Amino acid sequence: MTDTATPAAAPDYPQLLGHPRPLWMLFMTEFWERFAFYSVSWALVLYIVAQFYQGDAAGQGWASGVFGAYTALIYAASIFGGYVADRVIGYQRSILLGAAVMAAGLFTLLVPSKPLLMLGLALVVVGDGLFKPNISSMVGQLYGTDDPRRDRGFTLFYMGINAGALVAPLLTGWMAAHFTDTPMQQNYRVVFGAAGVGMLLSLLWFWFGRRTLKNVGRPLPGMESRVRVAWVLVGVAVAVPLVYMLLAWVGAAGLQWLLGLLFIGVATMLIVEALRHDRVQLDRVIAMLIIFVFSVLFWTFYFQFGTSLNFLAENWVDRTMFGGWVFPVGWFQSVTPLAILVFAPLVTLVWAALARRKAEPSIPRKFGFGLIFNGLGFAVLVYALKELLGPAGLIPFWPLVLCYVMQTLGELSLSPIGLSMVTKLAPPRLVGVAMGGWFLSLAGGGDFSGLVASWISGDTGMTVASALSGFTFSFAVLIGSGVLLLLIAPLINKLMHGIK
């Protein structure tokens, strides 16, 4: 059977800095898409509370639910986007169409209206579903199946993601503070406009750079007809109102059931396809599905960056710096990507050095370390809320920064490895669907993150007591699940049949 997603022999590309040259084009395409995504992510809940609740903390619960549902749907849509690329129009066309739809949604957010807020988010969800899983899948196609550079290529690509995430809060936070003198809830719309421009740049970058990919990502035989693109556009027109209803009427609480059904559906497709191969492929799919469950737990608490950690930064952290200057809330969101840009090359070198000594941790062990580091980040906040509250009822600046750094180490142990894992363990004909399954684990985490954040904020907004309770719970779940994964790692390694 032909492997349509991760060919055994990749095209012969010119090399740049030790990797195929098209990797760097995909790097910049993803940079601008992530710039757009993280511009919205840091501002969304703050905008909702400011615009629709006039700054009343009672709006934190609803804002957290919207963020959780939006984040969940962003990643759940990847399942359908992966299928469209695999079976209907190919990867390149999916990315171009998704980028255009996302840009339309981001510009729609400029209008200060709840219905149009939901419409804009729905367009972003549908567009990102076509974009996100397919650009990640193409990274795997640049390398042969046994190319030892594959994991390092994904880590470099992941740096592109985080470069965009670093620049977004710094630039758009500054723009919101300096471009107008209007109330802050109006300035957030400057952020959304900048995000739309960033998405247009991503679209143009890929449009002009896609020729360097050669045949990778192009429609397979039988998919070349542009009529297929027209049908996908019809699908987009149908999907946007459906996503709108899920955001506006179902919300995070109802989505957990839908996401559960989607996970069962994806697992069934992967298992059925694996059974067409052999027992080894089935075992590998089972290993991948087990790791997906632990991935949900990781992202449930990681995604607190957009909700409870944002509200903590705004209300319970002493952000007054030298000369009375106040550190912007949004700039905390740049700590993680900055730490990733600092530590990712070091982590890559460590993995490579351990691999040369045949001592590199296996995929499930790396995931276990990721969960534990994430939990240690919350341990820092628990300590600060118990021991470091000042006379004004605020914790110092550094514990939240250290929390983000600890979570960064966890993310580096888990997220780029997860992308690479899917391209190694998935059945060849359904790599796009399997990548959608990986993003579905992020969707589940995003949805639960909104529910956890809503619980922490309650009906009246976050307090020191509710934050302490919520972060203690987060620490316990993450440490417990990380230790459990380390204990069962030998079993999962056996199911992977030699995949490292």
Side-chain angles (χ1 to χ4, degrees), residues 384-466:
L385 290 167
K386 282 185 175 180
E387 306 293 340
L388 301 179
L389 280 175
L394 304 177
I395 65 173
F397 177 87
W398 65 264
L400 184 54
V401 173
L402 182 57
C403 172
Y404 280 124
V405 172
M406 297 302 293
Q407 289 184 323
T408 297
L409 295 174
E411 185 181 0
L412 283 171
S413 298
L414 181 148
S415 192
I417 308 307
L419 294 172
S420 182
M421 173 196 71
V422 169
T423 67
K424 294 176 179 179
L425 297 180
R429 292 178 65 248
L430 290 182
V431 171
V433 172
M435 193 66 75
W438 164 252
F439 288 114
L440 180 58
S441 74
L442 278 80
D447 188 61
F448 287 129
S449 78
L451 296 175
V452 170
S454 294
W455 164 62
I456 293 174
S457 290
D459 295 331
T460 58
M462 176 186 286
T463 64
V464 170
S466 69

Side-chain angles (χ1 to χ4, degrees), residues 135-329:
I135 194 165
S136 299
S137 295
M138 281 203 297
V139 173
Q141 297 178 51
L142 301 179
Y143 299 89
T145 303
D146 299 322
D147 192 329
R149 300 175 300 165
R150 181 190 290 251
D151 277 5
R152 294 190 287 277
F154 271 103
T155 299
L156 290 169
F157 176 72
Y158 205 66
M159 290 177 67
I161 294 175
N162 286 281
L166 168 65
V167 173
L170 295 177
L171 180 59
T172 57
W174 174 82
M175 291 173 66
H178 291 87
F179 270 36
T180 72
D181 294 322
T182 55
M184 192 61 191
Q185 61 265 32
Q186 297 181 38
N187 292 5
Y188 285 126
R189 295 200 290 276
V190 175
V191 176
F192 302 147
V197 172
M199 201 60 238
L200 289 177
L201 289 172
S202 178
L203 171 62
L204 292 171
W205 202 281
F206 188 77
W207 174 267
F208 289 109
R210 73 191 191 282
R211 294 172 182 82
T212 66
L213 292 165
K214 299 183 178 179
N215 289 327
V216 166
R218 292 185 61 81
L220 295 175
M223 294 184 186
E224 299 93 338
S225 173
R226 293 186 180 180
V227 173
R228 286 175 169 255
V229 178
W231 278 113
V232 173
L233 285 170
V234 171
V236 168
V238 172
V240 169
L242 291 175
V243 173
Y244 178 96
M245 288 188 289
L246 292 172
L247 282 168
W249 300 342
V250 175
L255 276 176
Q256 58 187 315
W257 302 106
L258 176 60
L259 293 172
L261 291 174
L262 286 174
F263 184 81
I264 292 171
V266 168
T268 300
M269 290 178 67
L270 292 171
I271 289 172
V272 169
E273 177 65 21
L275 288 171
R276 298 176 62 240
H277 290 255
D278 53 27
R279 179 69 193 192
V280 171
Q281 183 63 77
L282 178 61
D283 286 350
R284 287 173 176 171
V285 165
I286 292 171
M288 183 170 60
L289 294 175
I290 293 171
I291 292 175
F292 282 175
V293 173
F294 285 93
S295 175
V296 172
L297 293 172
F298 178 89
W299 297 111
T300 293
F301 300 102
Y302 180 88
F303 283 133
Q304 296 301 310
F305 75 80
T307 51
S308 63
L309 296 185
N310 238 359
F311 295 132
L312 180 77
E314 185 177 46
N315 299 301
W316 303 107
V317 173
D318 184 359
R319 295 180 286 112
T320 303
M321 310 298 284
F322 48 86
W325 175 68
V326 178
F327 188 88
V329 171

